[in-house]
Amino acid sequence: MEGRQHLTPAQTLGLAGAQTTQLLVQPPWRPAVLWDRVTLTCQGSGTAGATTWYRNGKRWWQEGGDRLIVTESGTYTCDRPDTGLSPPVTVSDDWLVLQVPARALLEGDTVTLRCRRRENNPLTDVYFYHEEKQLRGPQQWTELSLSPLLLSHSGRYRCGVYVSYGGSLWKSERVTVTVHSVLLSGVSLSVQPPGGQVALGDRLVLSCTVAMGTGPLIFSWHREGTGALLGTGPQLELPHVGDDASGQYRCRVSDGDSVAESDPLNVTVLVPVANATITPGPLAHQVSTGDNVTLRCSVQVGSAPVTFTWLHNGQELARGPFLELGDIDVGYSGTYQCRATNQLGQDGHRVFRALSPELALEVTPGSAWLTVAAGVGGAFLFLLLLVGVIVAWHRWHRVAARKQQERAPPDPPAPPEEGEVLYSHVVVTKGTGASPRATTLQDPQVTYAELRGHQGPPREPGDIYGNVL
């Protein structure tokens, strides 16, 4: 399987249980055979010189090194002070031996069993057996390949050959094959083009790989935010990417018993530039000589980076989103356009352009004094308004003063001496309050002394008010 990792011999033995001292064998076959010059290595924590070796359950070498060259057949183990006793390793000196690789055998892998005669003497008419049931033979080949490994391949195997003398069948000792089912892990994604950035309409390919897992595997593809199933294979291909394809993609893998999922991979669809416009509008713009004009170019859609080029009467004038025209003259008249460009796809191999509508600019000539007047016109207008306000205020003030004088009563004449006769007086005959009914009489007998206590209008009947004529 693509991406499959094999476990080391130490990991192989570690699958069996909690023991942490490991005994590695070289060449990596089990059982080892004495004529292969076998080397055993004890791995574990603690001092290497403190390793104790055992053969057939008896102490073989105490406080030796962590490596042993085997010279006798038997079953070997090693002990380290901190991690304990290792699993056993058998070294055989039998006449016929069936060997299995000394590593973890995982479902879906390929494994080869080999039948060997002492001192590697040649063999003919070889048979292979699984749980005493004949699988192959007679055959000239001394190897049996199991591919792909299935859980049902687990069990005891042996090989056999016919010997020429006596016509008897010799069989090897049984060797146990254990096929491990490994949980799915290490699901990852890759993408073309690299980086997951693809131009609108281009081809996008996503690939899903599994580091550890057993088959058959079932793949499914999903995009975040949608419940739709996008594909069911190790690859997802989108021949022509649409503008709605941006988002995060995941690959989900199942072996029937467990499910593993990849980390999300972000895909960005790059959009060509479109609908370039110039602001300010409208399509015709009239200015005077000496004015300053700033034009801005923008696009409605388009993935960055976007470059802008300005054209005057069809000729390239400047670059950048802004065009600054300062102290213009009649020569600036004409048509202006901006061209927006972006480069998409892998290595920018696709170039897109958008051209704005034309902007007609008309510059009208003006004299020097008009230019100066335009510069000082604001200050002059302010002074003129200020003078008008002051004059109006003075006029209003004089009119108000005149009206106030007309409403005020005339100054009373100097009071007469006591005992002098008044020409007329008013006597209230009916009513009270602010508007009593009064009658004017001519009576020279009313004197000033009788009137001086009545300074205001008469209020009650009988009140009198003197009126000097």
Side-chain angles (χ1 to χ4, degrees):
M1 178 182 300
E2 184 180 359
R4 171 64 56 81
Q5 294 180 346
H6 294 287
L7 301 183
T8 65
Q11 292 171 314
T12 299
L13 299 175
L15 290 173
Q19 294 184 3
T20 56
T21 300
Q22 305 297 337
L23 184 54
L24 309 185
V25 58
Q26 189 65 33
W29 292 88
R30 59 181 183 86
V33 292
L34 191 61
W35 61 84
D36 274 347
R37 184 178 171 80
V38 177
T39 301
L40 302 179
T41 302
C42 190
Q43 289 187 344
S45 61
T47 305
T51 302
T52 301
W53 293 90
Y54 296 87
R55 176 177 173 269
N56 298 331
K58 296 181 180 181
R59 185 174 298 164
W60 179 255
W61 188 5
Q62 186 175 6
E63 295 185 355
D66 62 350
R67 183 169 297 180
L68 175 66
I69 297 177
V70 178
T71 57
E72 298 185 33
S73 62
T75 300
Y76 290 82
T77 56
C78 69
D79 181 84
R80 298 294 287 268
D82 296 334
T83 52
L85 197 65
S86 73
V89 171
T90 299
V91 180
S92 175
D93 194 29
D94 291 345
W95 185 85
L96 188 67
V97 176
L98 179 65
Q99 288 185 309
V100 179
R103 59 176 175 84
L105 304 180
L106 306 178
E107 187 180 6
D109 277 354
T110 296
V111 66
T112 299
L113 311 183
R114 63 183 187 178
C115 189
R116 301 179 66 190
R117 183 178 172 183
R118 182 186 297 163
E119 303 298 337
N120 291 326
N121 290 319
L123 293 174
T124 58
D125 298 331
V126 179
Y127 297 82
F128 289 92
Y129 303 88
H130 178 218
E131 298 295 348
E132 302 305 322
K133 180 180 179 180
Q134 182 177 324
L135 296 177
R136 299 280 179 84
Q139 64 180 32
Q140 301 301 314
W141 301 282
T142 60
E143 295 183 345
L144 173 66
S145 178
L146 302 176
S147 177
L149 272 181
L150 305 175
L151 294 178
S152 59
H153 284 144
S154 297
R156 295 177 300 172
Y157 290 78
R158 65 164 63 185
C159 65
V161 295
Y162 274 102
V163 294
S164 57
Y165 50 90
S168 59
L169 178 66
W170 287 42
K171 292 184 179 180
S172 70
E173 292 293 330
R174 298 177 183 87
V175 60
T176 300
V177 171
T178 302
V179 180
H180 297 277
S181 177
V182 180
L183 294 177
L184 290 171
S185 63
V187 180
S188 60
L189 295 183
S190 59
V191 61
Q192 284 291 338
Q197 292 191 336
V198 57
L200 184 69
D202 276 3
R203 177 173 174 263
L204 174 71
V205 178
L206 300 171
S207 300
C208 184
T209 58
V210 181
M212 297 291 292
T214 55
L217 300 179
I218 301 172
F219 296 83
S220 61
W221 292 89
H222 309 269
R223 188 172 75 234
E224 297 294 330
T226 65
L229 178 64
L230 303 179
T232 57
Q235 279 193 342
L236 175 66
E237 180 178 352
L238 303 178
H240 303 285
V241 173
D243 55 3
D244 59 345
S246 294
Q248 290 186 329
Y249 288 75
R250 290 180 184 269
C251 171
R252 187 176 297 137
V253 185
S254 172
D255 60 1
D257 296 323
S258 60
V259 177
E261 193 173 64
S262 71
D263 290 333
L265 188 147
N266 193 60
V267 171
T268 302
V269 178
L270 303 177
V271 181
V273 291
N275 298 336
T277 57
I278 298 176
T279 53
L283 294 180
H285 195 67
Q286 186 172 9
V287 294
S288 300
T289 54
D291 285 351
N292 297 324
V293 175
T294 299
L295 303 178
R296 178 179 181 268
C297 186
S298 60
V299 292
Q300 185 175 357
V301 294
S303 299
V306 178
T307 60
F308 298 93
T309 304
W310 290 92
L311 307 176
H312 179 217
N313 295 330
Q315 300 297 316
E316 185 172 325
L317 178 64
R319 291 179 179 269
F322 293 94
L323 178 63
E324 303 282 350
L325 302 177
D327 193 19
I328 63 176
D329 55 30
V330 177
Y332 284 80
S333 297
T335 59
Y336 290 81
Q337 284 182 291
C338 77
R339 184 176 61 222
T341 306
N342 63 353
Q343 295 178 259
L344 308 180
Q346 189 173 1
D347 301 325
H349 66 287
R350 299 182 63 187
V351 179
F352 299 89
R353 295 181 177 87
L355 193 63
S356 73
E358 290 183 347
L359 173 71
L361 187 67
E362 181 183 355
V363 182
T364 58
S367 61
W369 74 267
L370 285 176
T371 303
V372 173
V376 300
F380 176 78
L381 179 60
F382 173 77
L383 292 176
L384 184 61
L385 291 174
L386 182 60
V387 170
V389 169
I390 294 173
V391 170
W393 183 84
H394 278 289
R395 288 182 178 178
W396 174 83
H397 185 70
R398 287 191 298 174
V399 170
R402 186 182 303 114
K403 290 183 178 181
Q404 185 176 5
Q405 290 176 357
E406 292 174 354
R407 289 196 300 267
D411 293 334
E417 296 295 333
E418 187 174 355
E420 292 184 14
V421 176
L422 297 179
Y423 291 99
S424 67
H425 64 277
V426 177
V427 177
V428 176
T429 59
K430 185 178 181 181
T432 60
S435 302
R437 185 178 299 170
T439 301
T440 303
L441 303 175
Q442 296 290 335
D443 186 358
Q445 301 302 319
V446 179
T447 64
Y448 176 76
E450 295 173 319
L451 297 175
R452 62 183 177 181
H454 300 277
Q455 299 300 319
R459 298 297 183 183
E460 299 295 335
D463 282 351
I464 60 177
Y465 180 80
N467 189 15
V468 180
L469 301 177

